[in-house]
Amino acid sequence: MDAENGGDGQHDLQMVNGLNESRSPYVRGHMNNPVAWQMWGPEALGLAKKHNRLLFVSIGYAACHWCHVMERESFCSPEVAQLLNAHFIPIKIDREERPDVDAIYMSYVQATTGSGGWPLNVFVTPDLEPVFGGTYWPGPNNSTTAVGTAIAGTVSFVNILEKMRDVWTHQEGRCRESAKEITRQLREFAEEGVHSHKLGERGEGEGLEVELLEEAFQHFRKKYDKTNGGFSTAPKFPTPVNLSFLLRLGQWPQTVRDVVGETECQHASNMAVHTLRKMARGGIRDQIGYGFARYSVTKDWSLPHFEKMLYDQAQLLDVYLDAFLSARDAEMLGAIYDIASYLTSPPMGARTGGFFSAEDADSYPSKSDTEKREGAYYVWSLREFHEVLGEKDGEVCARFYGVTADGNVAPQNDPHDEFISQNVLNVTTTPSALAKKLGIPEASITQTLKSGRQKLREHRENHRPRPALDDKIIVCWNGLAIGALSRTSAALQSIDPTKASECLEAAISAVVFIKKELFDSETNTLYRVYREGRGSTPGLCDDYAFFIHGLIELYEATFDDSYLNFADILQKRQNELFTSSDSPGFYTTPSPHPPDLLLKLKSGMDAAEPSSNNISARNLYRLSSMLDDASYFKKAKETVEAFEAEVDQFPFTFSGMLGSVVMGRLGLKSVVLTGENDEMLKRLRQTVRPNSTVVAIGMGKGQWLRKRNGLLMQMDAEKDGVMVCEGGACKEWTEFG
């Protein structure tokens, strides 16, 4: 939004903050800043061209701690506001609404600085080409001289603004030339792998080999932290897609196990389970509530950044389920219950159906406080333990969770002095060891811990303001949650039917909501975000891919083929919108290419979230198996081939897609249940079978599916039996690997 004073110079533009027009909680959180923020769109981009100003593009999300820090330090500062408003077009973006914009400028910052993160701040020419960027920069209201080693000595944001103002004023030509050269390099890099060959050029027998799984395993083995679990130093991210790869190595057919090695497959599973156990006992897990934080500041998982993201909960639920089904470990089952409870209960589970996006890291320590602190909702003092639990029970619980009078957060990890005498709860011992040390019966210790956890949770809920909720419903993350809850429901059906029903009802309600509010049945297209109504952003590739994944899992949990029909409709539409006729793989954004995007990207590498092409390839293989559709199988192979050069060179960065490499080489088996087969179904649901799908016909099920899959029309749907179909032929069931 702007008003002009009649001239055409730099200072003739008077802008006002226009973020009140946004529905994003993150963006709206900046609408009272003195910075004249604009929303990303034709109007703001047009202002940059008209007035020849650099755009200052700031991207973050509602649960991001350092985004809030920078807002307080810089964007509330009159000094910063004066510089931004007088010399730039400041734009604020929610990365969850526009991950396509975020991905472009994040790739630039990572390429030029060697790292990335949020808030992501980039100076961009009126032609959208990046000039300079970074993440957090200290502002005028900065309360510390150094915030950890990562940003110690960082140049202040005001200095950066003044430098960029002067560079653009006096060296605009050089600035534009440099930006164009950087953009050319980014474009070449983006096209290097995905355009390595054209469709139809591949010779027979070429392609990626299953030996790549062994190479990826060796990478993770070398990086493995034997003490703490995980595969890096601090900071440490769960990266569930890698844990899933390791857990499933030994579940592939014998061909894969022969290549990798039986001992190696078991070691892979052990690494993943040990990592999951350390996480379950660490501060990254909310020990008295539910859910996991996004990552740990420390290598031992003891101190998180406290934001909780929906995509993490969904993926971790999936991985803990794999670990439980493989190892039958009660600790894994406990984590499953906690995550499922977090997803199916307020505040994350929406009453309307669907799941909200995130909970913030920061909150008010008490109802009377006026300043938010990181982790305030989750940390405890020893005094509070004794006040809430009493001296005796408080001492037992304090020893169990590592609570001390001085606090358990090291000073170097507390730059703002927010954790003095505070403790992040970690499981530091076992009930049996604690019982032995205190001379108390183990049964008594267990009961004290159980009641103590309940009392602490009730006290927290009643006396502390909960962190802010990002109440956007995003299709892609909901798809992950639908899939995880559907699988969990199926696995728990024979263990805990009540919990299984809760999970299934939540998954179904989410699908109903998305179909009603975010799906256009006339065009068979999705919209990405719902908050106070449907947002304008069209569904991106990950929205289609992750939601289709959820529908496939929901079908296998219910055998209601309306979900498989919906998945089929969306897969066809995804194929139309996100692919080109001569280049394999799926683009991030739909055709035609949006004019406000500098590059056209394809997502292949996995990160905190799986890549859209990884999930798309897997969906296509599974649908090809369930529907006996050779065109889907062909499209899946082409999707994997789009990233062949990169996968071949760095297989560990494509750990999710390596499963599709196996499917392309060895195929999938479709287990077909006819008539009644409760015992066989129970058996199937208690195993992890990544190279098979399960469908059911008969007893009122599968009418649409039998029409879609001609192989099934030839079967006696009402006769109790089990068939296995593969490569266009079916035979009676025998055990298969």
Side-chain angles (χ1 to χ4, degrees):
M1 300 174 64
D2 69 289
E4 295 184 48
N5 289 339
D8 58 359
Q10 277 278 342
H11 300 282
D12 294 327
L13 174 63
Q14 300 295 321
M15 298 177 292
V16 296
N17 189 309
L19 300 189
N20 63 317
E21 298 175 8
S22 173
R23 292 178 182 170
S24 160
Y26 170 69
V27 173
R28 288 181 65 84
H30 295 73
M31 67 183 183
N32 294 318
N33 294 165
V35 176
W37 292 113
Q38 308 296 295
M39 293 171 61
W40 181 270
E43 184 177 348
L45 303 184
L47 284 177
K49 282 185 174 291
K50 182 177 181 181
H51 295 275
N52 194 34
R53 289 192 182 187
L54 285 174
L55 295 140
F56 172 71
V57 181
S58 183
I59 305 174
Y61 58 99
C64 168
H65 169 69
W66 287 106
C67 298
H68 296 312
V69 172
M70 192 161 182
E71 195 241 346
R72 291 193 300 268
E73 291 183 356
S74 293
F75 302 141
C76 290
S77 162
E79 182 182 6
V80 168
Q82 191 278 328
L83 284 165
L84 280 172
N85 298 345
H87 303 286
F88 305 91
I89 305 295
I91 293 182
K92 180 58 68 174
I93 298 177
D94 185 334
R95 69 170 287 256
E96 295 161 4
E97 289 188 330
R98 293 301 304 265
D100 47 351
V101 178
D102 176 70
I104 291 168
Y105 296 116
M106 181 63 78
S107 66
Y108 162 73
V109 169
Q110 288 174 330
T112 54
T113 70
S115 63
W118 296 276
L120 176 66
N121 298 298
V122 187
F123 294 89
V124 178
T125 71
D127 295 324
L128 306 182
E129 296 170 338
V131 176
F132 180 76
T135 55
Y136 164 83
W137 293 309
N141 300 326
N142 177 251
S143 60
T144 59
T145 55
V147 187
T149 57
I151 54 175
T154 300
V155 178
S156 76
F157 185 42
V158 168
N159 288 342
I160 289 170
L161 288 173
E162 291 172 340
K163 181 69 172 177
M164 294 309 302
R165 174 199 62 195
D166 294 344
V167 166
W168 186 250
T169 300
H170 302 297
Q171 301 179 50
E172 180 187 333
R174 282 184 58 191
C175 210
R176 285 183 179 273
E177 287 178 14
S178 174
K180 288 186 183 301
E181 174 59 21
I182 290 170
T183 300
R184 183 190 64 77
Q185 293 175 15
L186 287 173
R187 185 170 284 114
E188 286 183 359
F189 179 78
E191 296 176 351
E192 183 180 25
V194 298
H195 291 165
S196 58
H197 70 277
K198 294 192 175 185
L199 289 173
E201 289 184 348
R202 180 166 308 287
E204 197 65 36
E206 296 180 34
L208 298 165
E209 302 287 349
V210 295
E211 283 78 9
L212 289 168
L213 279 74
E214 197 271 338
E215 290 183 35
F217 162 74
Q218 293 296 344
H219 168 84
F220 290 118
R221 182 162 71 173
K222 290 175 184 175
K223 294 287 186 179
Y224 180 54
D225 181 342
K226 296 178 182 178
T227 302
N228 303 300
F231 304 91
S232 69
T233 57
K236 189 168 277 186
F237 290 79
T239 319
V241 67
N242 293 338
L243 297 174
S244 177
F245 165 77
L246 294 168
L247 284 165
R248 294 188 170 205
L249 261 184
Q251 311 300 327
W252 289 105
Q254 190 63 49
T255 302
V256 176
R257 303 202 298 272
D258 288 343
V259 168
V260 178
E262 295 284 0
T263 301
E264 287 76 9
C265 287
Q266 185 58 55
H267 183 52
S269 179
N270 292 344
M271 288 192 297
V273 171
H274 179 62
T275 298
L276 290 168
R277 182 174 288 111
K278 286 294 187 179
M279 287 169 50
R281 297 176 182 179
I284 193 172
R285 181 183 182 182
D286 183 353
Q287 294 293 343
I288 65 165
Y290 305 112
F292 284 75
R294 190 167 74 92
Y295 70 95
S296 175
V297 176
T298 55
K299 65 181 181 180
D300 62 355
W301 308 104
S302 62
L303 176 63
H305 266 318
F306 293 86
E307 62 262 36
K308 294 179 181 176
M309 312 300 296
L310 175 59
Y311 63 79
D312 281 321
Q313 316 309 319
Q315 291 181 91
L316 285 172
L317 179 56
D318 244 340
V319 174
Y320 274 104
L321 181 61
D322 278 359
F324 171 70
L325 294 176
S326 300
R328 296 291 161 178
D329 187 311
E331 204 165 353
M332 304 297 107
L333 185 60
I336 290 168
Y337 270 73
D338 270 11
I339 300 170
S341 296
Y342 184 60
L343 289 175
T344 58
S345 307
M348 292 299 281
R351 292 189 179 91
T352 57
F355 309 98
F356 294 133
S357 297
E359 283 194 281
D360 206 337
D362 301 359
S363 60
Y364 298 106
S366 70
K367 293 179 180 179
S368 60
D369 279 290
T370 57
E371 184 175 333
K372 290 183 178 182
R373 293 185 180 182
E374 184 187 9
Y377 190 68
Y378 303 100
V379 297
W380 299 84
S381 67
L382 181 60
R383 179 180 56 80
E384 285 177 302
F385 257 49
H386 289 155
E387 288 176 352
V388 175
L389 303 176
E391 290 297 323
K392 182 181 177 182
D393 288 1
E395 186 61 27
V396 170
C397 291
R399 292 197 181 205
F400 185 75
Y401 289 118
V403 175
T404 70
D406 294 333
N408 62 9
V409 178
Q412 63 265 30
N413 293 322
D414 186 19
H416 294 114
D417 295 332
E418 294 175 308
F419 299 127
I420 294 174
S421 300
Q422 297 294 316
N423 296 267
V424 180
L425 304 191
N426 291 259
V427 175
T428 60
T429 185
T430 63
S432 60
L434 192 55
K436 189 174 182 180
K437 188 170 186 177
L438 297 177
I440 300 173
E442 184 177 344
S444 177
I445 292 287
T446 301
Q447 181 57 42
T448 297
L449 294 173
K450 182 178 179 181
S451 64
R453 186 186 188 204
Q454 180 65 30
K455 289 176 184 177
L456 290 168
R457 183 164 62 243
E458 289 175 355
H459 177 84
R460 189 173 76 175
E461 291 173 351
N462 292 329
H463 296 282
R464 297 181 182 179
R466 187 141 192 154
L469 176 71
D470 186 342
D471 57 352
K472 299 193 304 294
I473 293 177
I474 303 174
V475 171
C476 60
W477 296 355
N478 271 253
L480 293 175
I482 290 163
L485 287 167
S486 298
R487 282 193 68 221
T488 302
S489 171
L492 293 183
Q493 189 60 53
S494 59
I495 301 171
D496 186 344
T498 301
K499 194 67 177 178
S501 179
E502 289 177 8
C503 294
L504 187 61
E505 288 174 8
I508 291 173
S509 295
V511 171
V512 170
F513 179 86
I514 290 171
K515 192 169 186 178
K516 177 184 176 184
E517 301 292 349
L518 292 166
F519 175 67
D520 185 336
S521 59
E522 293 186 4
T523 60
N524 290 337
T525 53
L526 291 169
Y527 286 82
R528 182 173 177 82
V529 177
Y530 183 96
R531 184 178 187 270
E532 299 174 354
R534 187 174 76 186
S536 60
T537 305
L540 303 179
C541 185
D542 59 351
D543 294 304
Y544 284 82
F546 295 4
F547 188 46
I548 291 167
H549 158 77
L551 291 169
I552 294 171
E553 295 290 1
L554 185 53
Y555 166 74
E556 287 199 337
T558 62
F559 296 124
D560 179 342
D561 61 8
S562 68
Y563 301 124
L564 202 55
N565 183 12
F566 195 13
D568 190 30
I569 290 169
L570 289 173
Q571 188 62 68
K572 290 174 180 175
R573 190 62 174 140
Q574 181 189 347
N575 294 351
E576 293 169 354
L577 288 173
F578 297 92
T579 61
S580 65
S581 59
D582 64 345
S583 177
F586 291 89
Y587 288 103
T588 300
T589 51
S591 297
H593 182 64
D596 61 351
L597 294 180
L598 184 66
L599 304 173
K600 195 171 185 179
L601 301 179
K602 292 181 181 177
S603 165
M605 285 192 293
D606 299 304
E609 300 172 52
S611 79
S612 54
N613 275 279
N614 157 19
I615 299 298
S616 295
R618 189 194 312 172
N619 290 343
L620 286 161
Y621 276 127
R622 295 179 74 190
L623 288 172
S624 76
S625 172
M626 292 171 149
L627 306 177
D628 189 38
D629 191 323
S631 69
Y632 280 168
F633 192 92
K634 181 173 181 287
K635 178 70 75 174
K637 289 202 73 167
E638 292 169 352
T639 301
V640 176
E641 288 168 0
F643 302 92
E644 181 174 329
E646 298 98 317
V647 175
D648 197 45
Q649 190 171 5
F650 304 107
F652 54 89
T653 64
F654 295 82
S655 59
M657 198 174 285
L658 293 178
S660 291
V661 172
V662 178
M663 295 179 199
R665 283 291 176 184
L666 306 182
L668 283 85
K669 295 175 171 65
S670 179
V671 179
V672 183
L673 306 177
T674 60
E676 287 192 30
N677 266 295
D678 291 345
E679 284 303 313
M680 178 58 70
L681 181 58
K682 177 181 176 182
R683 185 176 160 198
L684 288 168
R685 285 175 170 174
Q686 292 301 307
T687 59
V688 179
R689 294 184 178 272
N691 70 314
S692 67
T693 59
V694 183
V695 301
I697 58 175
M699 308 297 292
K701 301 185 291 287
Q703 289 91 340
W704 173 85
L705 180 57
R706 295 187 76 194
K707 293 177 183 177
R708 180 70 170 83
N709 182 345
L711 292 174
L712 305 184
M713 288 297 292
Q714 305 167 24
M715 298 180 187
D716 185 347
E718 304 306 322
K719 178 183 176 182
D720 297 351
V722 184
M723 303 289 286
V724 178
C725 300
E726 183 179 16
C730 302
K731 60 183 179 181
E732 289 190 9
W733 163 277
T734 56
E735 282 292 342
F736 61 91

